[in-house]
Amino acid sequence: MVEHVDVAVVGGGPAGISAAVASAAAGKRVCLLDEGSRPGGQIWRHRLGQVPDEAQSLLTKLDAAAVKVLFRASVFDVEDRQGSWRLTLSQGERRVAITAEKLVLACGARERFLPFPGWTLPGVMGAGGGQAFLKEGLELHGERVLVAGTGPLLLPVAASVGKAGGRVLAILEQTPWRRVLGMLPVLLAHPSKALQAAQLGRSLFGVPYRPGWWVQEAYGKDFLEAVRLTDGQREEVLECRWLFCGFGLVPNGELGVALGCAGTHAGLQVNKAQESSVNGIFAAGELCGVAGVDAALAEGAIAGLAAAGVWDAASVEGHRLVKARARARSTGRQLERIFALRPELRGLPRPETIICRCEDVPYGAIDPSWGSRETKLCTRAGMGPCQGRVCGPILIYQFGHTPDTVRIPYKTTPVGQLIAEEP
Amino acid sequence: MADHCIIRVDGQLVAATSGESLAVALLRAGHFRFRESCSGQARAPVCGMGTCYECQVRVNGTWVRACLEPVRAGLEVHTDG
Amino acid sequence: MNQRILVVGAGIVGVAIADRLQASGCSVTIFEADLPGGGATAAAMGHLVVLDDSPMQMAFTARGVALWRQENLPKGCEREVCGTLWVAADEEEVEEARRKAERYSGLGLACEVLTAGQLWEAEPALRPGLAGGLRVAGDQVLYPMGAARFLLKRALERGATLCREKVQALVPGGVRTEPGLVQADAVILAAGLGTTTLLPELPIQPRKGHLAITGRVPGLVHHQLVELGYLKSAHGRATTSVAFNVQPRATGQLLIGSSREFAGLDGSPNRELLGRMLRKAVSFLPTLERVPVLRVWTGFRPCGPGNLPVIGPWPGRPGLFVAAGHEGLGITTALVTAELMAHHLLGTPAFLDPASFLPEPAHG
């Protein structure tokens, strides 16, 4: 049996939930799909029964709304069925097919990783990755942790480390002090963010925040033992057990690209009603360009209303959403400038440093004169189970490659589930 | 509230909590080799959200991403994913 | 000697010819505007297989595999001599395996007919109830892109040159490119599907295929596995078909094939056909069902007018030679194609009757 809905929303973070709730409120049959086990996406990730305060109101609305939610659902195929979309997804051992009149893509973003010697050692994780595991209950028992990379995310990660019993040695922020100070006007313009920052600052009291510093190399045999850091002139070596290191976020645009939606690797293009260049496909939140939770909430609501055919920019609610979106997007652009990656980071990998973790392709195996396809065919970079989601942005950053085309299965999928029903 | 259970990891019994992420259960139990890369390196979770596949293990014969897999009593986990 | 030769196309056939002729003292320029090996070569499975559709096809493929065997390939080519195991589903196919064995033995190729028990011992992952099989020990697998790049690199090291200009047209005594005419003693057209654009009298049809690659499951499959029914499904020319064809890669991954269809140049996956292909694979290897597929891609076999590719001088166009229409055998027969071409150009020995491959241009 193929279930039919009016609106299918892919991604259960703030944007997706917001869209699903808005469409459902307009009387549409809505289905919300997410790879995780609970609603909230990465930002509101939580353990069972421990919903974060800021998520409470929207998650309560989702519970109350007539939205069918499928968790642990990886969408691996979307087919254009002339006027409707057929989604096929893998849910554990099950294969599920859904048809929908409209699609809302709210697939969010993933962390950007940059390669440096030792970054493949167990104990080196993404900053958001570390955060995710801490939210899921990882305990650190006084272990020494270094938080590094770039962006505002590093601060809450460090705070979580402290809460989980870890000892944060430092927060290394690659962007220099003078640019970090550019955060001040952003905070002043958003009193709620300033308050959050102040609370974070209190919980991080005594933790060195070191703008202009970055990780050069991680050492260890079977597990991380130490990290060498630099500010370009000085070097230090710190012994530590964990390194949580992430260089900002990149949109999960794959599904949109596969469906022919216009955009770049920095985000899908949408119009004022959050509709993509493809009729009937809407997009909201980080996959339209990284701008944070406020943009996601506003755009999700707009996309949900537009997908339901009831979006009215001239209404009171419409005005509010448009304003919120503009404000959040402008903040997003400011943050992007403040936390732009410094060129020195391109020089971190050595010839033997792995670039593609799935296929163990070393940096030295890639001829800088090659294009993306040549690199892929000659080295297998991007051909492993993550389908280039980790090394793709690295190759774009290091070599200026263009993003790859996207084909089914959009996620690694068991053979048996790729077999369609008997015709 | 915690619902403790036992899972088996490469033949060893490991205490875990029902519903928590399998990756967290493994890390807590001191498992840092989730898979072996093509060139034989040990790999452990990186992204925590199902993107990187570094935490791929086999559960009851099926390949899963440990970070997305909720723990249930009696899981048979093999770290040769 | 020291003829000046232009080879149009840097797929595996083109680079094999270039390498062979440059090694014999010719001065070769290869024209390739796109990525060398980026067409049918990159999409191919890389199964070096002796096929016995006809005596000449058998001699051709056997010579092709033998020439690959003589090559000392670097690691990047991922060559493995895993052999082919032709799987017989029923007694009728076991009979076919026996006939096949006689033909292979007749050519001096090592092979053995397997009973159902021996088949199970050789490949325990195959489903129970199969009737037997035929093991052809000398068949190999390799990574086609790696092999093409190896041959290209060697040709360039021997002094050949690679020109990235697009060939716009064939002209008497040379080719026309954007910057101008390039003259030579001979032009060899080895442009795969691009052949017909430059030589409309030689129709090469794209015969689309799907492949899927799995995650690593080392030790699950040991031979290239092909169903004996393959010959039935691969050789009906107009029909759409799938066959069980699974290859163990050096990485521990499995390549799953195969499908054949004439569908123009639309490279998007045909979900129905892909499903049939995978269902067939699971029917032979039930454990595949839970194995993850990482990627699926399609490619176009350059399918010529006859059962054999066209290799040799093009009638009525002095100095023009073609090597085209290898369908699914381009990788297997790249080196023997080069050997035949060398025969035509240099008079070196051909181990096969070159007349069997001579072009018969369509009239009108």
Side-chain angles (χ1 to χ4, degrees):
Chain A
M1 250 307 272
V2 180
E3 183 155 356
H4 186 80
V5 296
D6 299 309
V7 180
V9 181
V10 185
I17 298 172
S18 185
V21 167
S23 281
K28 297 296 176 187
R29 285 168 301 169
V30 181
C31 182
L32 178 67
L33 311 167
D34 193 80
E35 283 198 293
S37 294
R38 280 178 279 282
Q42 299 311 313
I43 184 154
W44 293 340
R45 192 147 167 172
H46 58 279
R47 302 184 79 180
L48 196 59
Q50 300 177 4
V51 175
D53 294 343
E54 61 275 22
Q56 206 87 53
S57 120
L58 192 59
L59 293 192
T60 308
K61 280 187 200 161
L62 178 66
D63 276 340
V67 174
K68 183 183 167 109
V69 188
L70 293 182
F71 293 116
R72 303 185 60 218
S74 299
V75 176
F76 64 82
D77 192 3
V78 180
E79 222 181 318
D80 182 354
R81 289 276 175 102
Q82 261 80 55
S84 72
W85 305 94
R86 183 194 161 101
L87 296 86
T88 321
L89 50 103
S90 170
Q91 197 182 30
E93 310 260 300
R94 284 206 313 153
R95 170 188 203 271
V96 179
I98 294 164
T99 57
E101 301 296 314
K102 310 276 183 209
L103 272 188
V104 177
L105 303 181
C107 316
R110 57 179 177 268
E111 258 183 293
R112 180 198 302 279
F113 299 107
L114 294 180
F116 50 84
W119 76 299
T120 54
L121 273 171
V124 181
M125 279 188 192
Q131 173 84 322
F133 290 120
L134 295 170
K135 286 178 177 175
E136 296 272 351
L138 181 66
E139 293 140 34
L140 294 171
H141 308 292
E143 286 163 350
R144 296 162 63 90
V145 182
L146 190 62
V147 176
T150 202
L153 173 71
L154 302 184
L155 301 171
V157 172
S160 300
V161 169
K163 245 199 268 175
R167 198 180 134 204
V168 185
L169 303 179
I171 301 168
L172 307 184
E173 167 56 66
Q174 59 91 36
T175 225
W177 258 121
R178 60 182 164 75
R179 273 207 268 139
V180 170
L181 292 176
M183 279 294 282
L184 284 176
V186 177
L187 291 174
L188 290 175
H190 297 79
S192 66
K193 285 202 183 350
L195 183 66
Q196 274 175 22
Q199 284 163 346
L200 268 175
R202 213 172 36 243
S203 70
L204 290 171
F205 184 74
V207 172
Y209 182 67
R210 300 172 68 172
W213 284 77
W214 63 92
V215 171
Q216 247 181 341
E217 181 161 11
Y219 303 95
K221 196 168 161 280
D222 300 319
F223 202 90
L224 179 68
E225 290 166 21
V227 168
R228 183 159 51 88
L229 35 140
T230 185
D231 65 350
Q233 273 132 33
R234 291 162 292 177
E235 282 187 4
E236 276 174 42
V237 175
L238 291 178
E239 273 180 45
C240 60
R241 179 74 167 149
W242 300 91
L243 167 61
F244 295 160
C245 183
F247 291 91
L249 303 176
V250 282
N252 286 324
E254 283 76 10
L255 208 48
V257 170
L259 293 169
C261 302
T264 67
H265 63 275
L268 295 185
Q269 264 170 33
V270 287
N271 66 14
K272 285 182 177 155
Q274 297 298 133
E275 189 163 11
S276 75
S277 66
V278 176
N279 249 332
I281 300 183
F282 299 79
E286 307 286 54
L287 88 160
C288 305
V290 174
V293 62
D294 295 339
L297 289 169
E299 292 176 358
I302 296 170
L305 293 169
V310 297
W311 166 240
D312 177 8
S315 68
V316 176
E317 176 67 354
H319 268 296
R320 187 190 70 78
L321 289 171
V322 168
K323 220 176 120 190
R325 173 175 65 186
R327 199 172 146 84
R329 282 280 158 205
S330 132
T331 307
R333 283 190 294 273
Q334 276 172 284
L335 293 181
E336 199 183 306
R337 279 195 298 275
I338 293 170
F339 296 104
L341 297 178
R342 63 192 315 137
E344 290 97 322
L345 299 173
R346 275 199 191 89
L348 295 181
R350 285 200 288 257
E352 69 278 11
T353 305
I354 299 290
I355 296 287
C356 169
R357 303 175 66 115
C358 294
E359 297 289 328
D360 278 359
V361 178
Y363 181 67
I366 300 169
D367 185 326
S369 75
W370 289 344
S372 359
R373 184 157 184 259
E374 194 164 11
T375 301
K376 196 168 156 171
L377 287 170
C378 296
T379 67
R380 281 194 220 288
M383 293 222 195
C386 92
Q387 302 177 323
R389 284 179 174 81
V390 175
C391 71
I394 294 174
L395 292 169
I396 290 171
Y397 173 71
Q398 294 280 158
F399 300 108
H401 285 177
T402 48
D404 208 0
T405 52
V406 183
R407 288 183 303 232
I408 60 163
Y410 306 137
K411 283 273 171 149
T412 293
T413 304
V415 173
Q417 295 191 9
L418 281 173
I419 300 174
E421 301 87 18
E422 295 281 353
Chain B
M1 189 187 88
D3 182 5
H4 295 293
C5 67
I6 297 290
I7 60 175
R8 198 185 283 269
V9 182
D10 296 328
Q12 305 280 318
L13 297 183
V14 167
T17 306
S18 287
E20 74 173 337
S21 145
L22 175 59
V24 169
L26 292 178
L27 288 171
R28 190 187 301 120
H31 277 266
F32 301 116
R33 192 185 190 92
F34 280 61
R35 71 174 195 102
E36 192 172 287
S37 76
C38 324
S39 66
Q41 299 178 355
R43 293 289 169 79
V46 176
C47 78
M49 54 182 275
T51 296
C52 74
Y53 285 73
E54 289 285 38
C55 68
Q56 188 162 274
V57 295
R58 264 188 325 130
V59 167
N60 301 345
T62 301
W63 284 261
V64 303
R65 289 163 278 175
C67 69
L68 296 181
E69 191 70 12
V71 165
R72 283 96 66 201
L75 287 189
E76 285 278 349
V77 182
H78 291 275
T79 61
D80 58 357
Chain C
M1 292 304 263
N2 197 19
Q3 297 185 59
R4 178 151 165 65
I5 312 272
L6 310 181
V7 174
V8 183
I12 192 135
V13 172
V15 296
I17 292 170
D19 176 56
R20 176 71 182 74
L21 295 179
Q22 186 73 35
S24 300
C26 299
S27 171
V28 178
T29 301
I30 309 161
F31 286 85
E32 177 60 69
D34 293 322
L35 176 63
T41 301
M45 203 176 201
H47 181 203
L48 307 180
V49 56
V50 181
L51 290 182
D52 57 349
D53 224 11
S54 67
M56 186 46 79
Q57 186 201 50
M58 193 170 185
F60 183 52
T61 49
R63 180 69 187 158
V65 174
L67 287 173
W68 276 115
R69 191 182 262 289
Q70 289 168 21
E71 291 287 349
N72 186 16
L73 299 177
K75 200 168 159 273
C77 295
E78 295 175 27
R79 184 239 301 269
E80 305 259 320
V81 186
C82 60
T84 301
L85 213 165
W86 296 88
V87 180
D90 52 30
E91 273 314 308
E92 194 190 336
E93 289 184 359
V94 173
E95 271 313 305
E96 174 57 21
R98 291 206 186 92
R99 287 192 294 274
K100 238 174 141 61
E102 275 172 37
R103 294 194 288 270
Y104 282 81
S105 308
L107 271 188
L109 299 168
C111 66
E112 62 182 311
V113 176
L114 305 183
T115 63
Q118 289 165 328
L119 178 69
W120 185 79
E121 255 172 58
E123 294 289 354
L126 283 171
R127 73 157 192 261
L130 292 166
L134 172 71
R135 173 158 44 201
V136 182
D139 285 357
Q140 304 158 44
V141 302
L142 51 67
Y143 182 52
M145 196 65 187
R149 293 182 68 83
F150 163 71
L151 292 174
L152 174 61
K153 187 165 166 265
R154 193 167 69 182
L156 297 179
E157 282 164 5
R158 285 171 165 164
T161 51
L162 177 64
C163 174
R164 307 307 298 262
E165 293 297 335
K166 189 173 171 57
V167 170
Q168 295 171 328
L170 307 173
V171 296
V175 299
R176 192 177 72 222
T177 67
E178 174 76 38
L181 294 182
V182 185
Q183 302 287 328
D185 299 309
V187 174
I188 299 168
L189 186 54
L193 284 181
T195 301
T196 307
T197 317
L198 293 169
L199 189 63
E201 305 94 300
L202 180 51
I204 304 291
Q205 299 288 329
R207 198 171 196 192
K208 181 174 164 182
H210 292 73
L211 285 175
I213 190 155
T214 70
R216 288 186 283 154
V217 281
L220 185 66
V221 170
H222 308 278
H223 302 80
Q224 172 109 18
L225 298 176
V226 189
E227 62 170 317
L228 271 158
Y230 177 81
L231 294 174
K232 294 175 216 158
S233 46
H235 293 245
R237 286 184 70 84
T239 53
T240 297
S241 66
V242 297
F244 169 59
N245 191 343
V246 165
Q247 176 181 102
R249 303 290 318 162
T251 54
Q253 295 171 287
L254 298 178
L255 260 182
I256 307 177
S258 60
S259 74
R260 283 177 150 79
E261 67 183 309
F262 289 106
L265 281 171
D266 175 8
S268 59
N270 175 339
R271 291 169 169 87
E272 194 266 327
L273 198 59
L274 173 67
R276 269 170 63 195
M277 179 181 101
L278 295 175
R279 190 178 300 126
K280 187 125 201 180
V282 171
S283 79
F284 278 90
L285 286 169
T287 42
L288 268 187
E289 189 163 7
R290 291 171 141 196
V291 174
V293 169
L294 311 188
R295 284 178 297 121
V296 167
W297 68 95
T298 60
F300 300 101
R301 304 173 183 90
C303 188
N307 288 319
L308 290 170
V310 171
I311 303 165
W314 190 257
R317 303 272 290 266
L320 177 62
F321 295 76
V322 295
H326 287 67
E327 221 257 328
L329 291 176
I331 315 294
T332 298
T333 62
L335 298 176
V336 59
T337 299
E339 188 174 72
L340 285 164
M341 195 57 82
H343 166 78
H344 288 296
L345 281 148
L346 309 171
T348 48
F351 290 77
L352 308 168
D353 171 21
S356 306
F357 301 89
L358 287 180
E360 290 172 49
H363 296 287

